[in-house]
Amino acid sequence: YITAGYQWCEATQECYRPWETHCTSAIIGGDRDTYGCITSAGYQWCEAKQKCYRSFEEDCESIGDDADVHGCIASAGYSYCVSTGQCYRPWETNCTASTIITGNDRDENG
């Protein structure tokens, strides 16, 4: 049937004419990537969680798995403050050290 314009479609295992229909898999789940994720169902591989996921259902990043050498978790918004020696979130506190002098801790200059 080549003269009628038919071509073989591996995905559907049928003959088709390109101007009438597309050669795509009609079955959801018939296409898996190298990780086994079903791309036609919207799944893709998430390296951080070591699993297939759908970006419209969940995030790929795993909160809490990215602590730095100080134990500050960047994915939760924490950074290390050198002046205080603590983890902090800039929208909650400032990264400044404050010293309060109380009592008679004054020298000859005040």
Side-chain angles (χ1 to χ4, degrees):
Y1 297 104
I2 293 175
T3 57
Y6 286 96
Q7 298 176 3
W8 180 251
C9 176
E10 282 294 325
T12 61
Q13 296 291 299
E14 295 177 341
C15 290
Y16 78 106
R17 291 193 282 197
W19 62 88
E20 293 178 339
T21 186
H22 297 285
C23 176
T24 57
S25 177
I27 302 169
I28 293 177
D31 59 329
R32 292 183 182 267
D33 65 12
T34 56
Y35 294 101
C37 303
I38 304 169
T39 55
S40 62
Y43 286 94
Q44 58 189 5
W45 181 250
C46 174
E47 190 65 32
K49 293 183 177 179
Q50 293 289 300
K51 70 172 196 167
C52 298
Y53 83 107
R54 292 197 273 195
S55 59
F56 53 90
E57 291 181 340
E58 62 180 306
D59 290 327
C60 176
E61 291 182 12
S62 181
I63 294 176
D65 289 344
D66 59 339
D68 65 13
V69 295
H70 304 287
C72 303
I73 301 169
S75 61
Y78 287 96
S79 297
Y80 183 70
C81 178
V82 175
S83 62
T84 63
Q86 296 179 338
C87 299
Y88 80 106
R89 292 194 278 197
W91 64 89
E92 293 178 340
T93 59
N94 291 325
C95 175
T96 55
S98 59
T99 305
I100 300 172
I101 299 173
T102 60
N104 292 328
D105 293 341
R106 297 174 189 250
D107 62 11
E108 64 274 357
N109 296 318

